[in-house]
Amino acid sequence: MEDVRLIQGNEAIAAGAIYAGADFYAGYPITPSSEIMTEAAKIMPKVGGMFMQMEDEIASVAAVVGASLAGAKAFTATSGPGFSLMQENLGVAVMGEVPCVVITVQRNGPSTGLATKPGQADIMQIRWGRHGDQSVIALTPGSVAECFLMTVQAFNFAEKFRLPVILAADEVVAHARESFALPKPGMIPLVERKKPTVSPEKYSPFAADADGIAPLAAFGSEYVSHISSSMHGPDGYSNNDPENAIWRINQLHRKIEMHRDEIVLTKSYDIDDMDILVIGYGATTGACRAAVKEARKRGLKAGVLQLITIWPFPDKEIEELAKLVKTVVVVEMNYAGQVAGEVRKVIGSEIELKRVNKYNGQIITPQDIIETLK
Amino acid sequence: MKDKTNTYEIILAGSGGQGLVSSGIMLGEAAILEGKQVMQATSYGIAQRGGLASAEVMISSAEIIFQHVQKPNLILALTEESLNLYLPQASSGAAIFYDTTLIQTTFVQKHEKNNLYGYPFTEIANELGHSGVANIIALGVMIGKSKMIKYASMEMVLRKHFSGKTAEMNVKALYQGRRLGEGQI
């Protein structure tokens, strides 16, 4: 029989991490992500993993990076204020190509803002929070089920592409409870990082294979290697040569670009014969879908594109659907239209772009969207 | 009390610490036992106790798309503040159940309509030995009036969540609620 449970989004994230094989959690609690940490504290010892409460979020990512380099599947969870503190060591993880998963459950800001209320205003911080030429993968779950499934996906991407993956949830999906049939072990394929096959003396931790990914040996194994946040050569040791810097920065970007179509995940609803495209992500997905169903009853031909992968941006998917419509509506819980700006870059100035934004800590409702569709 | 898609939208409202979220979760779990889809959302302030608190539960045989209640069918109001907030919903067809032990009846009489159901939930809970089971008594009434789930499913969930004397008291409260709704008390 199926194991259907009434499970909270944060609990589903923790369960998804365990399903994916996570065996290390280090974190510092913060609303609305705290249940992930509570669950990790309960479950980690039972699966032979390790749980550490850290002194702050800076140390949390430091511990996660260290654990991952020692061979663990490591993760942490936080919200805006903590995510800000994590940026420096996330940069280290990008530069060192360290697989790890960082969950940020977005709440209303800026700063400590409305601590218990939802927001989606960290989309640009997720992309650009670190200095320098860098890139990450970020996924936004739109339901409790997706909290579980996209956490597994986040670990798989992190392991496969050797980089930090950010799961950008929000207070709405994190605190909602939904009936969800937990997948049985083996139902979802799991990815393990590529290990070196050469002899230890020939191993270079940043020498990528043809697929753009370099094998990663674990600290403490027979492979002695060096990981540095400063510019380094394939062997991991400092290298100030301009040619090397080009190779290195290209490598950090190209491993994502090469696999872009595998990484970019979207879902579409009711897009047949549409002439209005409604774009939502995370918590707003449900409101978009409900609004479009209602709009169709009223004779408006609208459809929904849900962005699950938010970085790299689903430009091709948006461009393709935007060709079919007269109007694109972007729905998000922030003031500036952080995703709407990216959509504008993709669709150009010919197609009408409308925005539905709310930033008072309340969820966007189907009615809010229907008003804009009229 | 339900729409064509067999969907129930329920709001359990009162103040923090009244066990509304726990009741909502248990109601949802009971519906899952019957193969229904369930969504449960919570709204509370920064404080754990006091202040307006509410739990939303949606039960449906179809996929629930939006995370929050839009057209409530059933509302439980355990405080005057929460009753005041949701009273206008009665004229839109929501059945509102309120606690006459905690809420001055004179306040309600002014708004008396067909969709208002006042019962002494807390008084009966005290008779059973613990004011904390008032919400279970209320659920007992609401299940009977709406047929949203079966009593047996709710009983099963109560026995899963509680043990020993606490389980017995909660199950007793559930069926006391049933009798209360049927006019047997």
Side-chain angles (χ1 to χ4, degrees), chain A residues 177-179 283 289 293 367, chain B residues 25 38 40 63 67 70:
Chain A
R177 287 183 180 81
E178 283 177 40
S179 42
R289 289 181 59 199
K293 270 187 186 299
Q367 286 73 23
Chain B
I25 290 170
V38 176
Q40 193 275 318
E63 184 191 7
Q67 299 94 335
Q70 294 185 277

Side-chain angles (χ1 to χ4, degrees), chain A residues 4-6 115-117 142 172-173 175-179 283 286-287 289-290 293 363-367, chain B residues 21 24-26 28-29 32 36-46 63-68 70:
Chain A
V4 182
R5 295 185 204 171
L6 187 63
T116 63
K117 304 293 179 192
V172 178
V173 295
H175 278 163
R177 287 183 180 81
E178 283 177 40
S179 42
R289 289 181 59 199
K293 270 187 186 299
I363 186 170
I364 293 174
T365 64
Q367 286 73 23
Chain B
V21 175
I25 290 170
M26 290 189 287
E29 287 180 352
I32 287 173
K36 303 278 177 56
Q37 308 248 11
V38 176
M39 175 90 74
Q40 193 275 318
T42 308
S43 173
Y44 55 86
I46 202 157
E63 184 191 7
I64 301 162
I65 295 171
F66 184 56
Q67 299 94 335
H68 284 279
Q70 294 185 277

Side-chain angles (χ1 to χ4, degrees), chain A residues 44-324:
Chain A
M44 275 302 168
K46 292 180 190 164
V47 297
M50 188 181 283
F51 170 89
M52 287 176 75
Q53 171 152 354
M54 305 306 293
E55 66 268 36
D56 60 29
E57 290 86 348
I58 300 172
S60 301
V61 179
V64 162
V65 167
S68 175
L69 288 174
K73 284 191 177 181
F75 75 121
T76 188
T78 189
S79 184
F83 191 62
S84 294
L85 290 175
M86 290 182 174
Q87 298 308 319
E88 186 178 10
N89 281 331
L90 263 173
V92 174
V94 170
M95 190 60 153
E97 297 192 62
V98 183
C100 57
V101 173
V102 172
I103 297 137
T104 182
V105 181
Q106 296 172 85
R107 69 189 209 188
N108 176 287
S111 194
T112 41
L114 292 168
T116 63
K117 304 293 179 192
Q120 292 178 312
D122 305 340
I123 302 301
M124 286 298 165
Q125 184 195 26
I126 288 161
R127 176 63 186 87
W128 299 109
R130 283 81 42 211
H131 55 274
D133 274 318
Q134 48 78 42
S135 193
V136 292
I137 295 172
L139 309 173
T140 57
S143 65
V144 171
E146 285 175 6
C147 281
F148 182 97
L149 299 170
M150 288 309 116
T151 301
V152 178
Q153 188 70 73
F155 276 95
N156 281 350
F157 282 160
E159 291 291 315
K160 184 164 184 181
F161 303 116
R162 249 190 91 170
L163 44 59
V165 176
I166 295 157
L167 184 81
D170 52 67
E171 191 276 337
V172 178
V173 295
H175 278 163
R177 287 183 180 81
E178 283 177 40
S179 42
F180 175 59
L182 283 160
K184 289 192 171 63
M187 270 175 67
I188 307 172
L190 301 179
V191 178
E192 307 296 330
R193 68 189 64 169
K194 201 159 58 173
K195 301 256 170 52
T197 50
V198 295
S199 59
E201 59 276 11
K202 285 184 182 160
Y203 175 57
S204 283
F206 296 97
D209 296 334
D211 64 357
I213 321 297
L216 181 60
F219 281 5
S221 70
E222 68 274 29
Y223 292 85
V224 178
S225 60
H226 194 78
I227 305 282
S228 172
S229 62
S230 290
M231 196 55 77
H232 48 261
D235 59 2
Y237 286 90
S238 284
N239 187 324
N240 292 331
D241 176 10
E243 287 301 317
N244 180 75
I246 292 171
W247 163 77
R248 191 74 200 106
I249 289 169
N250 285 351
Q251 155 67 8
L252 292 178
H253 287 83
R254 283 184 186 160
K255 67 176 176 180
I256 298 176
E257 291 164 5
M258 280 171 75
H259 303 278
R260 185 261 178 219
D261 289 349
E262 180 187 340
I263 295 167
V264 174
L265 307 170
T266 60
K267 279 187 192 171
S268 57
Y269 303 91
D270 300 313
I271 56 167
D272 296 337
D273 76 352
M274 66 173 172
D275 44 39
I276 306 168
L277 173 63
V278 182
I279 298 176
Y281 57 95
T284 65
T285 307
C288 291
R289 289 181 59 199
V292 160
K293 270 187 186 299
E294 186 58 33
R296 284 197 171 252
K297 282 183 200 163
R298 301 182 191 183
L300 291 164
K301 288 180 184 168
V304 177
L305 178 68
Q306 176 195 0
L307 311 181
I308 294 175
T309 302
I310 206 96
W311 301 115
F313 198 67
D315 46 6
K316 277 201 279 189
E317 291 73 9
I318 292 168
E319 192 178 15
E320 209 166 285
L321 289 179
K323 279 179 195 158
L324 309 172

Side-chain angles (χ1 to χ4, degrees), chain B residues 12 22-23 26 57 59 62 78 97 115 123 134 141 158 163 182:
Chain B
L12 309 175
S22 310
S23 304
M26 290 189 287
V57 185
I59 299 171
L78 287 179
F97 299 82
N115 284 333
E123 191 187 319
V141 173
L158 287 171
S163 60
E182 288 169 355

